[in-house]
Amino acid sequence: MERNLERKGTGKVEALKSLEREIQQKWNNEKMFEEDAPTDFTQSGKEKYLVTFPYPYMNGRLHLGHTFSLSKCEFAVGYQRLKGKQCLFPFGLHCTGMPIKACSDKLKREIEDYGCPPRFPEGGNTAVVIEKPDEPVIVDKSKGKKSKLVAKTGGAKFQWQIMRSLGLSDDEIVKFAETDHWLEYFPPRAIQDLKAMGVKVDWRRSFITTDVNPYYDSFVRWQFYRLRDRNKVKFGKRYTIYSPKDGQPCMDHDRASGEGVGPQEYTLIKMKAVEPYPEKLKSMSGKPVFLVAATLRPETMYGQTNCWVRPDMKYIVYQIKTGEVFISTTRAAKNMAYQGFMKEEGKVDVLMTIVGQDIMGMGLAAPLTSYKVIYTLPMLNIKENKGTGIVTSVPSDAPDDYAALRDLKKKQPFREKYGVKDEMVLPFDPIPIIEVPELGNLSAVTACDLFKVQSQNDKDKLQEAKERVYLKGFYEGILTVGEYKGQKVQDVKKVVQKKMVDSKEAVIYMEPEKQVVSRSADECVVALCDQWFLDYGDEEWKNQTRGALAKTETYAEEVRKNFQATLDWIHEHACSRSYGLGSKMPWDEQYLIESLSDSTIYMAYYTVCHLLQGGVVDGSVAGPLNIKPEDLTPEVWDYIYFKDSPFPASTPIPQSSLDKLRNEFQYWYPVDVRVSGKDLVPNHLTYFLYNHCAIWPEDPEYKWPRSIRSNGHLLLNSEKMSKQTGNFLTLTEAVELYSADGMRLALADAGDTQEDANFVEAMADAGILRLYNFLEWVKEMVANKDSMRSGPLDSFNDRVFAAEMDKGIQETEQHYDRMMYKEALKTGFYEYQALRDKYREVTMGDTHRDLIMRFIETQVLILSPLCPHICEHIWQVIGKKGSIMKAKWPESKEVDDVLVRSSQYLMDAAHDFRIRLSKLTQPGKGKKEVPQRKPNHGTCYVAKTYPPWQHATLSCLKQLYDANGKQFPENKAILTELKKKDEVKKYMKKLMPFVQTVKQNVEEKGVHAMDLTSDFDEKQVLLANVNYLKYTLELESIDIKFSEEADAKIREECCPGKPFSMFSSKPSVDVRVSNPQPSSGHFGLIVPIQEGDTLETVTSRMAKQERGIKDPKQVTLLRHEDPELGPRQIPQFAKPEQGRCKISDKAVFHINLELKKVSLTENGQTVDIGSNLVYIVS
């Protein structure tokens, strides 16, 4: 895919990719990531770490979304290796389920219908169903409005076109009509792509699923035998999302849209038509005809006043197996056809088709209402894709119903338009049935008045009214009518439902919560299916799983709450189907085990698969132990996975081989971290917990998962990834564009929370430059390290740099521990590099060799989990033996926080000084001219204590902060206390701005911001760095003084931690300084000479003007013996010192401003030097 990248060249990225290939080959040759359990794991002193990622589905190339989630595993392994753990990252490849089979069958049909290669008709029927624009969208920030399939396929109409979008030729596509080709084509390419990323995977432990792999198939069959033995797998009719076209349940992984959608239960209210029937229904005379309305609130049926139908909507009249005649939409009838309503499953016995107007004004006998007969009335906004198209009306408690009924009563023309007589509407008033706190017994009426709803067209106001009424009415309402009078509404809902169902006034009806479309492009229904299901609703099993969750680290409270919410609603899950790929249900082979059910404990299979199938992903070749798959009986698997299970006497497998398998499992289990996208929390990750509890109920400490890390989805350049828009990247494309480490850097920077992360291509491009420049700088430092300063590390900035490196290492370690990689990248690379830059700045390039080399070593160590290739390469460049993959996390000392704060004080002070100096040299507002002379001298005042009023304020704030639980009270309370202080009364205008500043400083810097004195000597810090301050401020001199030496105004401005600066221009006389060295490249200079200058100050001033002077100490300054004639004589280039005297470092310059003359005092003598000097650079 073409990317719009504005690059001047690709040399840097190609250089990184070249070294990455070399490093990957080195790791491969050394089998760096192949890990085996110790011979006796109980004697191993090394801690293990097992990390897993949900195996991706093999119907395409891995994309950046996969890569983002699995990068969390990759980074974790890199860090835990540095912490000394033996780390295992295995990686399987998922092929179970419908998608591959469905795609294969589509290709076959397209070849049959359109030839090979197919020639599709212009604007033909699409093979992919897209959700209707008006379909309600699941409220989930992680899901866009387009279906996942459309996003992935770019809106291609036919499967052949989808395959072409993957870059496949027609000759290659035809092979995909056979399912086996999918299993042969995509898995090796996934492995190839992941290797190019540099993942730390033990590829001996990779495999594909389904019964194509006999070893994995045997493992899954064993799992289900044991689940059945423990009464977790059951058989019976259960409501499930079902695809009529596929003839089987449609699980999450089998859906093109509607992931996470389940069956929604309704009470189907039977409202019996009163004869005589309308003209259109005359043929139904004598038959029991019912309008059926789906409701979520059966307890409100006491308040029915009418029934709503849409005049222009199509309805069908059909007979169910009881002989009763129902009227509803076709869609609702289709759902009923799979729920036991009809004589023949899936078939609706349609008697006639009508529109709503045909039954307008029809009398109905409705259950529970106090009105003997109610009537069908028009409502224009009934939707066909929800419920049955027939809607009950309870205007006392439903704002929509009240607004619509009121409109009909008020508007006679509206009634006449639809043939509604006055007696069908006007006598019917809302019936009080529920008492709601604050809203009374007609809550909908009250709410409509409260929100000023004028008509049924006030959609926004009605929505507000509904939100107010429904929640409060259900949870706080008290029923005021009927046999359950006086009881809470939420307590009687099921009781009222049962009463109506038992009296045949209602039935239970199900439909999908939202539209669900299968991958075969079929709109799904809810069906009562004979199926095997996992009884996740079993309370004992559910509570056991809650216990497992309580012991599981989830890294974010939001994730834990999502799990808890799932456990509250989860119930039976269909684990069998009859179409697709997978393992057969071992005791009922007409069914396949579905894809969310064969993927719950396969992490245990990782621990042994390298010995069974030896890295041959389809298990077609026996592994190192030479065990045949048919010998892996359930009893053999028991011995491997259950520590108390006896050795199976009848097995031909040697006990030593099974002991080795058992040892691998016992060592590596449990899973230390499972990483996944947040969308798997309500399904796969919850089932993952359930099944571990079921298979290993007696061993929670050593077999149940230790942690689960979920993340948000990945955006690309702040937009949802989609082939349709071109905003899409595969893993291999990303590596090609940005290198592995450049891509990994941007993935780490993308985000760590449950919110959507963002891969920014500009960031990836910038990362390439950062990494490349770091490498080049390292090479330069290694080449020049012998010329760097050595000796004691006792200067202020040496000690600060060492302490800040320790602090950076420790902060980064904390972020890695919490799997917060964006933060680890920030502190461990961006800010760590900034520490180096600051050190080089404050030392003005006079860096210490040992510190620079320590920086390089620690930088590559703490960055290596994220960018391992370049770190491995630099590890070699700096002469380290072995691989960085076997190195240890850098040691660090206890951080001297006071020293670090003193350094930050220095940088803050320098920043403030620069701003103040800039304001002096810039024209003021409304002024055009800049001050004539640039300041060359500074005076910095340091305060030992605060002014009395600030001292009193800080003391008060500290007391309030401590008394209020380490947080500030409201400003009003603060002001009340401060007004009691006499010291502040004269400064009321300044008081609250000062308080706000203090509060902000506490937020940014901590409670130390309220200290009354500094915990370090501010004057000494500035004196120790006066050369840096002069350099960065471009000043000739700086005086550091205590504020006591200043006037009252300065003392008022100056306080601890905030020095006050003043700048001035020292008077000077200009002298021309020439260079007589031929072809030297040095220029003549005009140098200002100030009173009291020395050789050092003058040569330093010259070095600032003349870049060719690298070191002022290399400059020899000469004066003319005759200051008048000397400059006029022809210079002798061979004898530059002829007629000139060398100025010693003890000489002192003096100036006469009136005469504009410069003199020199040297060895007790004062001489006039004129207006010309000479310099020579050695």
Side-chain angles (χ1 to χ4, degrees):
M1 187 177 294
E2 293 293 324
R3 313 300 298 176
N4 185 22
L5 294 175
E6 296 181 7
R7 284 179 174 167
K8 294 180 180 178
T10 59
K12 294 180 177 64
V13 70
E14 292 302 325
L16 291 180
K17 283 156 59 178
S18 176
L19 72 84
E20 286 168 356
R21 288 190 289 269
E22 292 175 14
I23 295 299
Q24 288 166 10
Q25 188 60 52
K26 175 179 182 288
W27 290 339
N28 186 60
N29 294 342
E30 296 175 10
K31 300 181 178 179
M32 186 63 69
F33 308 120
E34 292 185 7
E35 300 286 354
D36 294 304
T39 305
D40 182 356
F41 78 90
T42 61
Q43 301 300 313
S44 172
K46 198 171 186 180
E47 193 177 347
K48 65 87 187 177
Y49 190 78
L50 172 60
V51 58
T52 65
F53 168 77
Y55 39 29
Y57 199 74
M58 291 293 99
N59 62 343
R61 300 295 282 263
L62 298 181
H63 57 69
L64 208 57
H66 293 119
T67 313
F68 173 63
S69 288
L70 70 88
S71 72
K72 309 295 185 189
C73 294
E74 173 62 16
F75 300 156
V77 169
Y79 170 65
Q80 297 295 343
R81 286 180 72 101
L82 287 169
K83 298 296 286 183
K85 295 179 184 177
Q86 186 171 2
C87 297
L88 179 61
F89 183 13
F91 206 101
L93 306 160
H94 203 198
C95 304
T96 304
M98 272 184 54
I100 289 175
K101 175 68 172 165
C103 292
S104 175
D105 289 349
K106 281 185 200 172
L107 286 173
K108 286 177 182 174
R109 288 196 297 271
E110 288 170 12
I111 291 170
E112 289 174 5
D113 293 344
Y114 304 110
C116 184
R119 297 184 65 179
F120 298 114
E122 294 275 337
N125 293 328
T126 64
V128 177
V129 175
I130 302 174
E131 293 180 20
K132 299 173 185 175
D134 61 348
E135 175 71 12
V137 179
I138 298 170
V139 181
D140 184 343
K141 293 178 184 177
S142 70
K143 296 182 180 180
K145 293 183 181 178
K146 293 192 187 80
S147 74
K148 181 185 284 188
L149 188 64
V150 173
K152 285 183 176 180
T153 61
K157 293 182 177 181
F158 296 94
Q159 186 61 40
W160 197 283
Q161 294 171 332
I162 294 170
M163 303 305 284
R164 280 178 179 162
S165 76
L166 299 177
L168 297 166
S169 67
D170 286 345
D171 290 341
E172 189 67 51
I173 293 171
V174 71
K175 300 174 186 177
F176 286 92
E178 300 301 325
T179 55
D180 285 352
H181 189 66
W182 296 77
L183 277 56
E184 294 164 1
Y185 184 86
F186 286 113
R189 284 162 177 78
I191 292 172
Q192 171 189 321
D193 294 348
L194 288 164
K195 284 182 175 179
M197 177 187 172
V199 291
K200 304 173 188 70
V201 167
D202 183 349
W203 288 111
R204 301 171 305 157
R205 299 175 189 261
S206 188
F207 58 86
I208 62 171
T209 64
T210 76
D211 54 6
V212 168
N213 180 351
Y215 292 97
Y216 186 71
D217 181 61
S218 174
F219 169 79
V220 171
R221 291 163 70 92
W222 163 78
Q223 174 192 351
F224 268 76
Y225 272 129
R226 294 300 166 254
L227 287 171
R228 187 185 65 167
D229 293 345
R230 291 162 191 191
N231 203 32
K232 307 301 183 188
V233 183
K234 297 176 182 176
F235 188 79
K237 287 191 179 292
R238 287 293 178 273
Y239 289 108
T240 188
I241 303 295
Y242 181 87
S243 167
K245 181 177 180 180
D246 299 327
Q248 66 169 9
C250 185
M251 299 298 103
D252 269 8
H253 287 191
D254 302 326
R255 300 175 187 177
S257 66
E259 286 185 74
V261 174
Q264 172 69 63
E265 180 184 286
Y266 290 90
T267 306
L268 201 64
I269 306 299
K270 296 165 64 178
M271 293 176 283
K272 188 173 183 179
V274 177
E275 296 198 52
Y277 297 155
E279 188 63 34
K280 191 78 174 181
L281 297 182
K282 287 294 185 185
S283 61
M284 297 293 111
S285 296
K287 294 180 181 179
V289 176
F290 295 90
L291 268 65
V292 288
T295 181
L296 296 170
R297 299 285 304 275
E299 74 284 0
T300 64
M301 293 303 102
Y302 292 102
Q304 292 179 87
T305 59
N306 61 280
C307 167
W308 301 114
V309 295
R310 200 174 92 195
D312 61 342
M313 183 181 284
K314 288 183 179 179
Y315 296 91
I316 58 171
V317 182
Y318 53 97
Q319 192 165 29
I320 64 172
K321 65 182 180 183
T322 62
E324 295 170 317
V325 175
F326 280 10
I327 298 176
S328 74
T329 59
T330 300
R331 175 188 160 280
K334 186 178 178 184
N335 272 274
M336 292 182 217
Y338 290 92
Q339 295 172 29
F341 282 77
M342 310 302 173
K343 292 178 183 177
E344 185 180 338
E345 181 171 310
K347 186 176 180 182
V348 180
D349 184 8
V350 180
L351 303 176
M352 68 175 68
T353 299
I354 61 174
V355 293
Q357 187 60 44
D358 293 333
I359 53 173
M360 196 64 68
M362 183 168 69
L364 301 170
L368 300 186
T369 180
S370 57
Y371 289 112
K372 187 175 180 180
V373 176
I374 62 173
Y375 296 92
T376 55
L377 301 177
M379 181 178 269
L380 307 183
N381 57 359
I382 297 174
K383 291 186 177 180
E384 193 172 352
N385 57 6
K386 198 77 174 172
T388 62
I390 307 293
V391 181
T392 61
S393 175
V394 184
S396 60
D397 292 84
D400 279 333
D401 295 341
Y402 174 67
L405 183 62
R406 186 174 60 180
D407 285 354
L408 268 173
K409 285 190 173 192
K410 286 181 178 179
K411 301 173 182 177
Q412 184 177 353
F414 188 31
R415 299 197 297 273
E416 291 175 352
K417 179 179 179 180
Y418 293 105
V420 175
K421 297 176 181 177
D422 289 354
E423 58 266 28
M424 298 175 181
V425 179
L426 299 181
F428 294 88
D429 293 323
I431 306 169
I433 59 170
I434 297 171
E435 183 71 35
V436 182
E438 299 172 23
L439 296 175
N441 60 9
L442 292 173
S443 58
V445 178
T446 304
C448 284
D449 290 343
L450 186 66
F451 292 100
K452 295 181 171 55
V453 175
Q454 299 300 313
S455 79
Q456 59 188 307
N457 297 320
D458 290 343
K459 301 300 180 187
D460 293 339
K461 292 178 180 178
L462 276 171
Q463 185 61 35
E464 289 183 278
K466 283 189 286 186
E467 288 173 2
R468 180 74 175 272
V469 167
Y470 288 166
L471 285 176
K472 202 167 184 67
F474 183 74
Y475 290 108
E476 300 180 40
I478 303 293
L479 200 63
T480 61
V481 296
E483 61 185 290
Y484 306 111
K485 179 180 179 180
Q487 296 186 37
K488 283 189 174 181
V489 169
Q490 60 179 323
D491 294 337
V492 302
K493 175 179 176 177
K494 280 292 181 184
V495 183
V496 173
Q497 181 194 57
K498 185 176 185 303
K499 170 186 169 65
M500 286 196 289
V501 170
D502 290 347
S503 62
K504 301 190 182 330
E505 294 174 310
V507 288
I508 302 300
Y509 163 73
M510 296 275 190
E511 65 178 45
E513 296 167 308
K514 307 282 182 182
Q515 185 187 52
V516 178
V517 178
S518 75
R519 289 183 182 270
S520 58
D522 183 32
E523 183 170 359
C524 295
V525 297
V526 170
L528 259 179
C529 295
D530 278 328
Q531 58 186 311
W532 293 100
F533 62 91
L534 288 158
D535 191 8
Y536 292 140
D538 178 77
E539 280 303 314
E540 183 180 351
W541 195 9
K542 184 175 285 195
N543 287 331
Q544 187 183 37
T545 305
R546 286 191 175 106
L549 175 63
K551 296 178 180 179
T552 302
E553 170 64 72
T554 60
Y555 300 94
E557 191 57 31
E558 181 183 350
V559 178
R560 186 172 300 281
K561 287 179 179 177
N562 287 344
F563 271 113
Q564 290 167 342
T566 300
L567 288 170
D568 286 342
W569 63 255
I570 198 168
H571 42 83
E572 300 90 349
H573 174 76
C575 60
S576 64
R577 64 164 169 274
S578 54
Y579 178 83
L581 305 180
S583 296
K584 292 181 174 64
M585 194 66 73
W587 60 85
D588 193 355
E589 295 199 352
Q590 65 176 311
Y591 292 109
L592 292 167
I593 297 168
E594 63 90 30
S595 58
L596 277 171
S597 300
D598 80 339
S599 56
T600 55
I601 65 162
Y602 69 89
M603 312 86 206
Y605 184 69
Y606 279 139
T607 65
V608 300
C609 68
H610 63 304
L611 298 173
L612 297 176
Q613 53 186 92
V616 180
V617 293
D618 64 358
S620 58
V621 178
L625 296 183
N626 201 31
I627 294 173
K628 297 176 182 177
E630 57 266 27
D631 292 334
L632 289 167
T633 62
E635 293 72 27
V636 167
W637 288 114
D638 287 345
Y639 184 76
I640 295 169
Y641 289 122
F642 301 147
K643 61 183 179 181
D644 297 326
S645 187
F647 180 76
S650 61
T651 184
I653 304 171
Q655 183 166 354
S656 60
S657 295
L658 291 188
D659 285 346
K660 191 166 187 177
L661 293 168
R662 175 184 266 194
N663 184 68
E664 284 280 337
F665 172 68
Q666 295 290 345
Y667 175 70
W668 289 113
Y669 240 59
V671 174
D672 290 284
V673 64
R674 179 79 167 161
V675 177
S676 167
K678 65 182 180 183
D679 54 314
L680 295 192
V681 169
N683 42 69
H684 164 72
L685 291 174
T686 300
Y687 305 160
F688 165 66
L689 289 175
Y690 262 102
N691 282 265
H692 275 81
C693 293
I695 298 297
W696 293 282
E698 308 300 329
D699 204 0
E701 186 176 351
Y702 296 106
K703 298 297 177 285
W704 292 3
R706 286 180 175 162
S707 72
I708 296 173
R709 174 70 164 85
S710 86
N711 52 261
H713 294 91
L714 186 70
L715 303 176
L716 180 56
N717 302 319
S718 303
E719 294 181 5
K720 184 178 178 181
M721 282 207 296
S722 170
K723 281 187 178 177
Q724 193 173 29
T725 62
N727 194 50
F728 191 84
L729 270 180
T730 63
L731 168 54
T732 189
E733 287 170 339
V735 171
E736 181 63 27
L737 283 168
Y738 304 112
S739 78
D741 282 348
M743 175 194 72
R744 292 168 67 115
L745 190 78
L747 287 171
D749 195 60
D752 295 305
T753 68
Q754 298 307 293
E755 295 301 313
D756 288 347
N758 188 22
F759 184 97
V760 181
E761 290 190 89
M763 179 63 68
D765 233 17
I768 294 169
L769 186 61
R770 278 180 176 270
L771 294 172
Y772 183 84
N773 288 346
F774 176 49
L775 173 59
E776 292 301 301
W777 176 79
V778 169
K779 290 177 181 176
E780 181 185 342
M781 293 301 102
V782 170
N784 299 324
K785 68 177 181 179
D786 291 338
S787 63
M788 287 189 229
R789 174 166 59 89
S790 58
L793 294 166
D794 54 6
S795 77
F796 173 81
N797 288 307
D798 286 348
R799 290 185 296 112
V800 166
F801 188 37
E804 289 182 329
M805 281 195 284
D806 288 334
K807 189 170 189 283
I809 290 166
Q810 292 167 21
E811 287 179 344
T812 304
E813 184 175 14
Q814 291 168 5
H815 296 318
Y816 275 131
D817 280 334
R818 293 297 301 163
M819 299 185 77
M820 300 298 285
Y821 301 115
K822 184 180 178 72
E823 295 302 312
L825 178 66
K826 178 186 172 188
T827 59
F829 185 55
Y830 298 144
E831 291 180 359
Y832 209 68
Q833 295 268 311
L835 295 178
R836 173 206 61 184
D837 296 340
K838 187 183 90 169
Y839 176 59
R840 294 165 69 193
E841 178 187 349
V842 294
T843 59
M844 293 168 287
D846 186 24
T847 54
H848 197 289
R849 178 180 62 203
D850 295 349
L851 286 176
I852 290 297
M853 296 313 293
R854 180 177 182 243
F855 169 81
I856 294 170
E857 180 179 336
T858 55
Q859 173 66 99
V860 295
L861 283 170
I862 65 178
L863 182 63
S864 65
L866 309 181
C867 302
H869 303 90
I870 195 167
C871 293
E872 180 75 271
H873 181 71
I874 292 174
W875 194 250
Q876 297 166 12
V877 169
I878 62 176
K880 293 291 182 179
K881 293 182 180 179
S883 170
I884 199 170
M885 294 295 109
K886 296 180 179 178
K888 294 289 183 281
W889 184 260
E891 294 182 359
S892 60
K893 298 176 182 177
E894 184 178 349
V895 177
D896 184 342
D897 289 324
V898 174
L899 181 63
V900 172
R901 282 201 297 276
S902 69
S903 175
Q904 187 58 50
Y905 164 81
L906 169 67
M907 302 313 289
D908 290 344
H911 177 69
D912 288 344
F913 296 168
R914 277 193 292 270
I915 292 174
R916 189 171 177 83
L917 186 59
S918 174
K919 288 179 179 177
L920 288 174
T921 56
Q922 298 294 326
K925 192 172 183 180
K927 297 180 181 178
K928 296 182 179 179
E929 294 184 1
V930 178
Q932 290 185 353
R933 258 197 183 286
K934 181 181 177 182
N936 54 27
H937 175 74
T939 304
C940 176
Y941 293 100
V942 175
K944 294 179 181 178
T945 60
Y946 281 91
W949 74 272
Q950 292 182 353
H951 188 285
T953 303
L954 282 168
S955 299
C956 182
L957 285 173
K958 184 73 166 61
Q959 290 172 1
L960 292 171
Y961 183 83
D962 290 338
N964 200 46
K966 302 298 180 185
Q967 61 182 13
F968 292 107
E970 295 293 324
N971 281 348
K972 187 176 180 181
I974 293 173
L975 186 59
T976 301
E977 287 300 314
L978 286 173
K979 282 181 177 179
K980 299 174 183 178
K981 307 288 182 183
D982 291 336
E983 298 92 333
V984 306
K985 289 181 178 178
K986 292 182 181 179
Y987 302 93
M988 294 307 292
K989 288 185 178 180
K990 295 183 177 181
L991 185 60
M992 291 316 290
F994 177 69
V995 168
Q996 287 303 114
T997 300
V998 172
K999 289 170 72 173
Q1000 186 176 342
N1001 288 342
V1002 169
E1003 185 177 338
E1004 293 173 359
K1005 301 174 183 177
V1007 72
H1008 287 289
M1010 289 188 288
D1011 289 348
L1012 297 174
T1013 58
S1014 293
D1015 49 8
F1016 53 87
D1017 190 328
E1018 295 183 30
K1019 187 175 182 181
Q1020 280 304 116
V1021 169
L1022 297 178
L1023 285 171
N1025 291 278
V1026 74
N1027 287 335
Y1028 162 66
L1029 291 173
K1030 287 192 293 183
Y1031 168 76
T1032 190
L1033 299 171
E1034 298 180 355
L1035 297 175
E1036 297 290 343
S1037 57
I1038 296 179
D1039 294 329
I1040 312 295
K1041 299 179 179 182
F1042 283 119
S1043 58
E1044 287 93 328
E1045 302 175 49
D1047 59 32
K1049 186 176 180 182
I1050 292 175
R1051 289 199 302 272
E1052 186 66 33
E1053 293 290 332
C1054 192
C1055 61
K1058 190 179 178 183
F1060 184 84
S1061 57
M1062 295 182 67
F1063 302 97
S1064 60
S1065 299
K1066 278 191 172 182
S1068 63
V1069 175
D1070 290 343
V1071 171
R1072 181 180 296 279
V1073 185
S1074 57
N1075 179 262
Q1077 295 169 276
S1079 305
S1080 67
H1082 296 295
F1083 301 97
L1085 307 170
I1086 303 296
V1087 180
I1089 305 295
Q1090 299 172 7
E1091 179 65 30
D1093 271 345
T1094 63
L1095 176 67
E1096 181 183 356
T1097 57
V1098 173
T1099 54
S1100 295
R1101 199 172 296 141
M1102 291 168 59
K1104 289 181 180 178
Q1105 291 189 45
E1106 168 59 276
R1107 292 185 178 181
I1109 302 174
K1110 303 298 182 186
D1111 183 358
K1113 293 177 182 177
Q1114 295 177 324
V1115 176
T1116 300
L1117 200 59
L1118 306 170
R1119 64 179 176 83
H1120 295 281
E1121 292 176 349
D1122 185 337
E1124 294 294 331
L1125 295 176
R1128 302 176 187 177
Q1129 294 176 351
I1130 297 172
Q1132 301 292 318
F1133 293 115
K1135 299 176 182 179
E1137 295 187 13
Q1138 184 173 318
R1140 297 161 183 151
C1141 298
K1142 182 178 178 182
I1143 297 174
S1144 73
D1145 55 6
K1146 294 180 180 178
V1148 178
F1149 290 87
H1150 304 282
I1151 59 171
N1152 186 317
L1153 290 172
E1154 289 183 12
L1155 301 175
K1156 298 291 183 183
K1157 286 191 175 182
V1158 180
S1159 59
L1160 188 73
T1161 300
E1162 193 172 14
N1163 298 323
Q1165 295 184 347
T1166 300
V1167 295
D1168 181 13
I1169 65 167
S1171 58
N1172 291 275
L1173 294 174
V1174 172
Y1175 76 100
I1176 298 170
V1177 182
S1178 60

